[in-house]
Amino acid sequence: MSKEDNDNLYVLEEEDPDHSPLNFAAYEDDEREEEVNQEEISSSKKSPFAHLIQIMFNPVQGWKTLRRSKISVESLQSSCFYPLLALLAISNFADFFYSVNVNLSQVITLAVVSFVSFFFGYFCIQMVLNWFLPKEVANIFENKFGKEYILISLSTLALFTLITNLLPMLWPILIFLPIWTLYLMFKAVRFFKFQIKEEMKFFVLSGSATIGIPLLIDWGLNAILPY
């Protein structure tokens, strides 16, 4: 046997240092990457309404999943927000079961007002926040998650109003449901990665606008439209 062949017997295959048995950090990174990929795959299969339900009952994970998802703003509008507004408008017809003094024209007017207050409220909220928030903060409404933040928040309000219309006898209890919306919005602020001093200002202004603007539009339309 030649000296060269003898040397080859002792040449061992080099191990990848990043994936050696003792490099636990590399395996942990791989596991994290795999978990993120699995989360993205599962989130892509969720419907927009499923994202809404997850956010309502598990806000931190729900907002995180929505932020990473590839669901478009248009899909969230057409598959979640607008259908909820349609159901909200229809829920006004429950007045026929609870009041003997209501007539069809009144119910139709209420249905139109409730739909319009949320539909135009979405655009008014963004416009008002662009006026009052610093430019670098208001810019978040130009990206996907900023618009979804408002859409999801308004969708929860529409859902709560719908439930109140169907169960008016529980109004003294259900009137506090918008606090839940504010809680969900508070949990979402962290994902915008603002500076600490800007987080609370953004939450207070966006929460006030989201709750107040649809109410103002509803009040204004009810004041000028005939019944």
Side-chain angles (χ1 to χ4, degrees):
M1 180 183 297
S2 67
K3 184 177 183 300
E4 180 179 355
D5 292 337
N6 189 42
D7 291 340
N8 288 338
L9 291 177
Y10 297 95
V11 176
L12 301 178
E13 182 180 355
E14 293 185 0
E15 294 183 352
D16 184 355
D18 291 336
H19 291 84
S20 65
L22 298 179
N23 193 349
F24 299 109
Y27 285 104
E28 290 177 359
D29 290 340
D30 289 344
E31 289 176 359
R32 291 194 197 100
E33 183 178 353
E34 184 177 352
E35 288 176 1
V36 171
N37 291 335
Q38 289 296 330
E39 185 176 344
E40 290 178 352
I41 292 172
S42 62
S43 65
S44 65
K45 296 179 181 179
K46 284 184 179 179
S47 67
F49 191 77
H51 279 285
L52 172 65
I53 298 300
Q54 183 185 21
I55 289 171
M56 290 178 64
F57 292 99
N58 188 359
V60 174
Q61 186 61 38
W63 285 117
K64 185 188 299 184
T65 303
L66 179 64
R67 189 169 180 266
R68 290 176 175 174
S69 72
K70 296 181 180 179
I71 292 179
S72 65
V73 174
E74 292 75 17
S75 177
L76 189 60
Q77 289 172 330
S78 61
S79 300
C80 181
F81 185 55
Y82 295 153
L84 277 175
L85 296 192
L87 291 175
L88 172 61
I90 294 172
S91 70
N92 285 279
F93 286 87
D95 283 354
F96 283 122
F97 298 99
Y98 298 110
S99 177
V100 295
N101 298 321
V102 69
N103 58 55
L104 183 60
S105 63
Q106 290 177 324
V107 173
I108 292 176
T109 302
L110 288 173
V112 171
V113 167
S114 60
F115 185 93
V116 170
S117 63
F118 280 92
F119 180 83
F120 285 106
Y122 167 67
F123 301 100
C124 292
I125 289 168
Q126 295 182 70
M127 182 173 61
V128 169
L129 291 178
N130 277 319
W131 290 343
F132 289 98
L133 288 172
K135 184 177 180 181
E136 62 274 12
V137 176
N139 284 338
I140 64 106
F141 297 112
E142 297 178 4
N143 63 42
K144 171 180 173 289
F145 187 64
K147 295 177 181 178
E148 291 174 341
Y149 168 74
I150 299 298
L151 281 172
I152 289 291
S153 302
L154 282 176
S155 294
T156 63
L157 284 177
L159 181 59
F160 297 153
T161 307
L162 186 157
I163 295 172
T164 305
N165 289 343
L166 296 177
L167 302 171
M169 72 289 295
L170 299 179
W171 184 84
I173 299 174
L174 299 178
I175 192 64
F176 294 103
L177 282 176
I179 297 176
W180 193 355
T181 296
L182 292 176
Y183 171 73
L184 299 178
M185 296 178 75
F186 177 76
K187 289 297 185 180
V189 172
R190 59 185 287 188
F191 295 106
F192 291 111
K193 299 180 180 179
F194 295 136
Q195 294 182 3
I196 295 177
K197 63 181 181 180
E198 294 175 338
E199 282 188 355
M200 187 55 64
K201 181 178 180 180
F202 175 79
F203 167 68
V204 170
L205 288 177
S206 63
S208 300
T210 301
I211 301 291
I213 288 178
L215 288 176
L216 286 174
I217 296 175
D218 185 275
W219 173 81
L221 291 176
N222 279 311
I224 63 177
L225 291 177
Y227 283 94

